[in-house]
Amino acid sequence: MSLLTLNQIKVSFGEQVIVDSVDFSLEEGDIGCLLGPSGCGKTTLLRAIAGFEPVQSGSITLADKLMSSPAQLVPPEKREIGMVFQDFALFPHLNVGENISFGLHKWSTGEKSQRVKQLLEYVGLEGYENRFPHQLSGGQQQRIALARALAPQPKLLLLDEPFSSLDAELRESLATDVRQLLKKEKITALLVTHDQQEAFAMADKAGVMYHGKMLQWDTPYGLYHEPAHHLVADFIGHGVLIRGSVIEDNKVSTPLGELNGEGISINSEGEMVEILVRPDDIIIDDSSARRSTVISKGFRGAHYLYTVELEDGSQLLCMAPSHHQYELGSEVGLRLNLDHLVVFPAGYCEL
Amino acid sequence: MSPARSSAYLLHKSLRERAFSAFRKASSPLLATFVCLPLLVVIAAFFIGLTGEEQRQTLSHLWEFVIAEYVWHTIVMMVGVGVLVTLLGVSTAWLTTACEFKGVRWLRWALLLPLAMPAYITAYTYSGMLSYEGIVQRTLRDIFNWSYGDYYFPEVRSITGAILVLSFVLFPYVYLITRAAFLEQSRAAIEASRVLGLSPWKSFWRVALPMARPAIATGLTLALMETLADYGTVHFYGVTTFTTGIFRTWYGMGDPLGALQLSSILLSAIIILMVLERISRKQSQYHNGTKGSQPARPFKLSRGKSIAAFLVCFIPIAIGFVFPALQLISWSYDQVETWLSPDFHELVKNSIALALLASSITVMVALWFCYGKRQLKTTWTRISVNLASTGYAVPGVIVAVGIIVPFAWFDRQIISASEFLFGINPGLIFSGTIISVLFAYLVRFLSVSIQTIDSGLAQISPAMDESGRILGLSSTQVLGRIHFPLLKTSLMTAGILVFVDVLKELPATLILRPFNFNTLAVRAYEMAGDERLAQAGPAALMIVVAGLVPVILLSRAIQARHQSYLNMKTPPQKAEEIYEPVNA
């Protein structure tokens, strides 16, 4: 059963449309993720779900109750939603315990302190009740913000770039911790981020947004391997689009030779298409007859990411272990390891 | 040039430079001590009061008869004004920050207007408006056909009246600082409380208000210091407080030591207030832990609520500015003779000349301090600048008493020395001349110009000086071609602020002015004291018009800051930084 359903949501500020006809739904217990470059409308969408932004069309339903529509706007405090903010927004005048129990209205003092204890244990900060937010590190503040949001047992937890103000190392370990906690507590959550690694680490379902539109709502695997849109392919992972032409159904001719793939139907002889080639689709194999020239390389720790040029001038990305180096200008052989073809109509880069 | 001559030249130059740098290093502490002289005198009087037998008697005599009353009245005034300015200031700040209603943009700056009114002028306009012959009672009598004695009408010239007048004049301090704090609060903190189940109204009480507490304390402190320093209002309304007590002890009883001792008690109250404010500001360092994000989106008010919100903001403006201003205009309108009299022109000339002189001196001294602080960077210079800035907190009455006592002593010494040596009496040189008046203004208003110039100087990074020097300018040329153009506006602003403050200043001028030397403020005070309220109109109106200038400057500065804030808000276009394009 879907816990959260968005139906044709549109949010605009004056003339400017920020979120445009977005549909998606989130199952109970799942962790969803909204991905996209900054300014794509993902945070506005999250704020619309929280009830801070009115919607101009469509509807938002939470647990079968209508929350937002052009005619109705349930105020944030009545939605039973938890939210973790980008800068955590802990109340600086209250200590940790008071921050966590802030949303526990009508709980007795005993119940409150019980709940605070329990949550501090969840987030691994036992005994921090009496500290003040300014006495905590960034990672600790983040955990307290999470505990505060979870305290009233919300139906849905929203997280707005929750890890963006932390350093990279902390970010990854916290993302894993938070996912485990949410899963253990069976909490439905929706996360906003521009970091795909974070999305992959956290999400059961993720959506890529661009200019206010939801391009694809899918599993992280689906987004990476079966992007439904040129821009999704562009945003998720590394990759290159190479040109090709359709020869017959399920067969395209490319600078890499003739490739087979399912679901390619021919409209007209020689129709131009673009094929997504990711670095992991290509293996450097010196015995291969497909030759290319290394034109640049970037060190990635375990791997080097090479840009190579084919004879016709088209470029590809490929990876090789870093202990096996190729000099700039040297010739390497390439072997294809394509499971399936991702094909877009050529020149289709408009929304 | 022979080697010997050139080395002599170098030695000579380095000696001169060394002397100059020693002078520069010593100048700030010396100047600061000089500026603090009146304060030191008052503090010394406090200790003398504890030591000498005769002095102790004076003090205990004062305690017995007057101090208890002064303390009581001062406490009542502080509590009354404190509660009212907090209510008025916080409610208007919140409404104009968090709510969107018709007229709110106008109200945001109009709420500063009462600052243009010196409290003593507001006090005497209300005394006129609410008197038996005033417009309010006349209208009431006309409508209900009453005559004298038929009705009860509260007496405005009372402690309640003084509290009301001061509150409606001083609440903009709380409004201004609290509103800035509300603007700085992150939207996220308010929204977090909403998600956690608070209605907008509850979220104000439990989150926005507690987070603004340090700012409210600062605004309140400023208002209370002005209340303690006020002389004109309480004197006119017949309330005996420390300031009026100091005056009476000085003039009525001719007791300088008593006046100094009363001053020292008042000064300790002010020091306590300042310390409390410092403590609350320390707290605010972590209170604003999560700022920098966007300000909260204002609530759109319904029609009915809009009208209510408008009235809540407009009524204080009406009472604090509109009504008194209208009364002044109506009085001045009838005073054709006053406007045209040479006596009045003399008054205007005196006031402007005095204010110009004071502001140029003050700005120059402030420049000296600011450059000392920038270039020497020694602890002594920093302490000196802070010491020199303390005068703003000291009531004009205290400054005046602290000046006249040592100056009179100097004069006596000079006169006796000169009579002994030359047999001539040179007369009073310092006390009772324009010099002591100017010195009082310097002490009072140095801090205003130091702050303004310092913030202007902070805009000029040391790297700018250095790049100027690298590009071939001498240090003097750096001043002329880089600093002066960048600092011009700050210097102007500092000058204007001091100019207007001098025009408005009453108690120090009253005590220190030379015999028969009058200014607009003194004239307005004297006329009002003689119950010639209408004739005081033109002088008072001119002071208020001048007082509008800093209010306009202030509201423009706030506007500019708000604008730059809005510009910062537009999201940076960094999509390219965040993900790498495919064809990397």
Side-chain angles (χ1 to χ4, degrees):
Chain A
M1 186 199 86
S2 293
L3 180 84
L4 173 73
T5 309
L6 273 73
N7 179 24
Q8 289 293 305
I9 287 301
K10 184 175 152 191
V11 182
S12 46
F13 297 155
E15 294 286 287
Q16 205 186 351
V17 179
I18 308 294
V19 173
D20 194 5
S21 321
V22 166
D23 285 299
F24 73 87
S25 62
L26 196 60
E27 301 297 309
E28 196 159 353
D30 271 2
I31 300 174
C33 181
L34 298 174
L35 262 171
S38 63
C40 72
K42 56 192 191 307
T43 295
T44 305
L45 186 56
L46 197 75
R47 292 168 50 74
I49 296 169
F52 292 121
E53 307 292 349
V55 300
Q56 270 70 46
S57 71
S59 65
I60 298 173
T61 322
L62 180 67
D64 294 328
K65 268 185 236 147
L66 180 64
M67 289 291 156
S68 294
S69 73
Q72 191 183 357
L73 183 69
V74 176
E77 63 268 25
K78 297 267 159 62
R79 294 194 174 203
E80 294 178 68
I81 279 176
M83 189 158 176
V84 176
F85 291 83
Q86 188 169 4
D87 61 358
F88 315 140
L90 294 177
F91 302 125
H93 58 296
L94 302 177
N95 66 25
V96 166
E98 289 164 338
N99 260 289
I100 295 177
S101 60
F102 191 92
L104 304 178
H105 316 284
K106 294 179 190 149
W107 290 46
S108 73
T109 321
E111 285 170 338
K112 273 188 191 173
S113 71
Q114 201 66 38
R115 181 74 177 146
V116 168
K117 262 213 169 76
Q118 185 187 15
L119 281 159
L120 283 175
E121 197 186 303
Y122 280 170
V123 298
L125 289 172
E126 294 96 331
Y128 276 65
E129 284 95 332
N130 296 321
R131 306 265 183 111
F132 276 87
H134 71 280
Q135 297 170 314
L136 304 177
S137 71
Q140 289 170 335
Q141 288 188 18
Q142 211 279 342
R143 286 158 195 258
I144 299 302
L146 183 67
R148 182 181 70 180
L150 291 177
Q153 290 159 327
K155 288 186 184 136
L156 172 69
L157 179 69
L158 304 177
L159 303 106
D160 183 7
E161 307 249 5
F163 309 112
S164 65
S165 55
L166 306 174
D167 50 50
E169 235 172 286
L170 200 58
R171 207 183 289 183
E172 225 178 294
S173 69
L174 257 179
T176 320
D177 287 357
V178 169
R179 181 180 161 88
Q180 276 170 3
L181 177 64
L182 296 180
K183 283 292 165 193
K184 199 171 86 190
E185 298 298 306
K186 299 193 176 58
I187 292 158
T188 317
L190 184 64
L191 169 90
V192 155
T193 182
H194 59 253
D195 180 344
Q196 42 176 305
Q197 294 310 321
E198 208 169 285
F200 289 171
M202 295 274 294
D204 299 307
K205 277 286 187 68
V208 175
M209 286 185 71
Y210 208 88
H211 279 303
K213 291 221 157 76
M214 178 72 85
L215 300 181
Q216 188 177 2
W217 177 254
D218 206 337
T219 58
Y221 185 92
L223 289 179
Y224 189 84
H225 288 290
E226 289 152 17
H229 196 286
H230 186 97
L231 288 161
V232 176
D234 187 336
F235 188 73
I236 304 281
H238 292 289
V240 168
L241 292 169
I242 57 169
R243 293 211 148 219
S245 58
V246 184
I247 308 166
E248 57 189 71
D249 278 357
N250 298 341
K251 195 163 216 163
V252 277
S253 151
T254 72
L256 286 165
E258 283 183 12
L259 303 175
N260 296 314
E262 277 164 40
I264 304 167
S265 56
I266 185 158
N267 293 330
S268 60
E269 180 78 23
E271 185 193 353
M272 296 302 287
V273 290
E274 288 184 323
I275 299 114
L276 174 68
V277 183
R278 299 229 186 249
D280 44 331
D281 295 331
I282 292 174
I283 295 165
I284 293 186
D285 180 356
D286 292 333
S287 64
S288 169
R290 284 200 189 90
R291 307 308 292 179
S292 67
T293 317
V294 175
I295 59 169
S296 80
K297 63 180 190 178
F299 185 55
R300 294 289 148 100
H303 294 91
Y304 268 103
L305 183 67
Y306 291 97
T307 308
V308 296
E309 197 172 75
L310 299 175
E311 278 149 9
D312 73 325
S314 55
Q315 295 179 352
L316 294 172
L317 294 174
C318 57
M319 285 200 283
S322 58
H323 50 76
H324 192 118
Q325 283 204 48
Y326 297 94
E327 294 306 314
L328 291 185
S330 63
E331 219 185 53
V332 291
L334 301 178
R335 188 154 55 79
L336 282 182
N337 184 26
L338 276 162
D339 286 349
H340 59 275
L341 281 189
V342 178
V343 180
F344 303 109
Y348 181 72
C349 57
E350 303 284 314
L351 273 168
Chain B
M1 196 186 285
S2 74
R5 268 191 68 191
S6 96
S7 75
Y9 169 76
L10 279 177
L11 184 69
H12 175 68
K13 194 179 168 194
S14 81
L15 258 179
R16 214 176 56 190
E17 271 183 353
R18 243 187 294 168
F20 181 66
S21 105
F23 165 70
R24 290 220 34 205
K25 273 195 193 122
S27 67
S28 292
L30 284 176
L31 255 177
T33 318
F34 183 58
V35 170
C36 287
L37 182 72
L39 268 184
L40 296 175
V41 168
V42 171
I43 292 169
F46 180 74
F47 289 106
I48 291 169
L50 296 177
T51 52
E53 184 53 38
E54 188 193 342
Q55 285 82 355
R56 219 178 358 244
Q57 261 176 15
T58 317
L59 202 58
S60 70
H61 180 82
L62 282 172
W63 269 115
E64 216 169 302
F65 292 98
V66 289
I67 293 183
E69 188 183 280
Y70 296 162
V71 170
W72 173 239
H73 284 167
T74 305
I75 289 175
V76 171
M77 294 280 302
M78 301 258 283
V79 171
V81 173
V83 169
L84 268 177
V85 293
T86 310
L87 283 178
L88 291 169
V90 175
S91 59
T92 51
W94 172 250
L95 285 172
T96 54
T97 314
C99 299
E100 191 67 55
F101 53 94
K102 225 173 170 173
V104 69
R105 291 170 68 89
W106 177 80
L107 286 172
R108 277 178 198 148
W109 73 263
L111 278 162
L112 299 172
L113 283 174
L115 284 180
M117 282 278 175
Y120 59 89
I121 288 177
T122 309
Y124 95 77
T125 56
Y126 274 103
S127 162
M129 279 186 270
L130 301 176
S131 69
Y132 181 73
E133 278 305 316
I135 178 159
V136 176
Q137 294 204 41
R138 253 191 356 245
T139 316
L140 282 176
R141 285 198 299 271
D142 285 352
I143 294 173
F144 298 105
N145 230 344
W146 288 332
S147 54
Y148 180 76
D150 283 355
Y151 58 97
Y152 164 78
F153 198 82
E155 175 56 58
V156 63
R157 290 170 79 160
S158 61
I159 194 162
T160 319
I163 288 173
L164 286 170
V165 163
L166 285 171
S167 301
F168 280 97
V169 170
L170 298 176
F171 83 89
Y173 284 117
V174 179
Y175 159 76
L176 190 66
I177 296 174
T178 310
R179 189 172 128 75
F182 282 145
L183 278 175
E184 274 182 16
Q185 284 175 359
S186 85
R187 172 169 76 171
I190 307 292
E191 289 184 347
S193 71
R194 296 291 305 280
V195 174
L196 290 167
L198 298 195
S199 64
W201 185 236
K202 272 192 183 153
S203 134
F204 165 68
W205 283 108
R206 286 194 51 197
V207 178
L209 196 61
M211 278 168 69
R213 228 162 19 199
I216 297 170
T218 305
L220 183 61
T221 311
L222 285 175
L224 290 181
M225 290 206 304
E226 292 279 337
T227 307
L228 281 177
D230 172 76
Y231 169 74
T233 309
V234 284
H235 178 253
F236 193 59
Y237 281 7
V239 183
T240 46
T241 62
F242 274 99
T243 46
T244 54
I246 294 166
F247 247 82
R248 208 174 52 176
T249 320
W250 180 261
Y251 280 122
M253 304 196 267
D255 176 5
L257 190 66
L260 276 176
Q261 284 172 340
L262 282 179
S263 300
S264 66
I265 298 171
L266 179 53
L267 191 64
S268 23
I270 283 166
I271 291 171
I272 291 170
L273 262 183
M274 283 172 77
V275 168
L276 287 178
E277 196 267 340
R278 271 285 151 84
I279 292 170
S280 87
R281 206 166 354 155
K282 271 246 167 66
Q283 281 182 331
S284 77
Q285 280 171 358
Y286 67 80
H287 261 239
N288 286 331
T290 53
K291 65 176 174 189
S293 58
Q294 299 155 299
R297 178 112 58 102
F299 306 113
K300 261 220 163 70
L301 296 185
S302 64
R303 214 181 135 73
K305 281 181 181 167
S306 281
I307 294 171
F310 185 86
L311 286 179
V312 168
C313 296
F314 183 71
I315 289 170
I317 303 172
I319 298 179
F321 183 78
V322 179
F323 296 152
L326 287 176
Q327 176 69 77
L328 281 182
I329 291 170
S330 105
W331 277 335
S332 310
Y333 190 72
D334 298 333
Q335 294 291 316
V336 187
E337 289 159 51
T338 309
W339 285 107
L340 293 177
S341 75
D343 184 41
F344 185 72
H345 297 160
E346 178 75 23
L347 212 60
V348 174
K349 237 173 23 202
N350 270 354
S351 295
I352 290 178
L354 192 64
L356 271 179
L357 205 56
S359 62
S360 352
I361 294 173
T362 311
V363 166
M364 279 191 284
V365 174
L367 257 179
W368 187 266
F369 273 116
C370 290
Y371 270 97
K373 189 173 143 195
R374 179 188 174 92
Q375 289 170 345
L376 299 174
K377 294 192 178 81
T378 62
T379 321
W380 274 110
T381 343
R382 221 182 38 244
I383 293 173
S384 308
V385 173
N386 287 341
L387 273 179
S389 306
T390 48
Y392 83 98
V394 184
V397 181
I398 295 187
V399 172
V401 172
I403 285 175
I404 202 160
V405 170
F407 275 22
W409 183 84
F410 280 135
D411 277 341
R412 273 201 307 278
Q413 305 309 310
I414 292 172
I415 290 169
S416 60
S418 151
E419 277 180 340
F420 176 73
L421 291 172
F422 314 109
I424 324 163
N425 183 344
L428 298 173
I429 294 170
F430 295 113
S431 57
T433 65
I434 205 86
I435 292 177
S436 55
V437 182
L438 288 173
F439 182 52
Y441 294 151
L442 177 69
V443 173
R444 279 281 280 150
F445 306 128
L446 188 56
S447 132
V448 176
S449 40
I450 286 183
Q451 272 172 20
T452 314
I453 295 171
D454 210 27
S455 64
L457 212 50
Q459 309 288 318
I460 307 172
S461 78
M464 284 189 212
D465 293 18
E466 285 156 12
S467 47
R469 294 300 290 274
I470 295 274
L471 292 170
L473 301 189
S474 73
S475 58
T476 329
Q477 282 171 319
V478 166
L479 283 186
R481 288 186 49 194
I482 299 177
H483 285 211
F484 183 70
L486 287 169
L487 214 52
K488 226 168 26 189
T489 332
S490 305
L491 291 176
M492 278 289 290
T493 313
I496 290 171
L497 290 177
V498 175
F499 183 90
V500 174
D501 269 340
V502 167
L503 278 189
K504 289 159 78 174
E505 211 286 335
L506 179 65
T509 321
L510 214 49
I511 297 181
L512 296 170
R513 75 204 155 112
F515 185 66
N516 264 347
F517 180 88
N518 278 324
T519 65
L520 288 167
V522 171
R523 176 58 59 87
Y525 163 83
E526 283 179 347
M527 291 286 183
D530 293 350
E531 299 295 332
R532 289 186 289 172
L533 296 176
Q535 274 160 287
L541 190 65
M542 297 213 51
I543 295 172
V544 173
V545 170
L548 283 173
V549 176
V551 170
I552 292 166
L553 284 179
L554 189 63
S555 72
R556 276 178 54 183
I558 293 168
Q559 202 93 45
R561 205 168 54 196
H562 194 67
Q563 207 56 50
S564 67
Y565 204 70
L566 288 180
N567 293 343
M568 264 165 45
K569 246 178 63 183
T570 48
Q573 291 300 312
K574 53 178 183 182
E576 298 80 31
E577 295 166 31
I578 288 165
Y579 71 98
E580 291 168 72
V582 171
N583 297 310

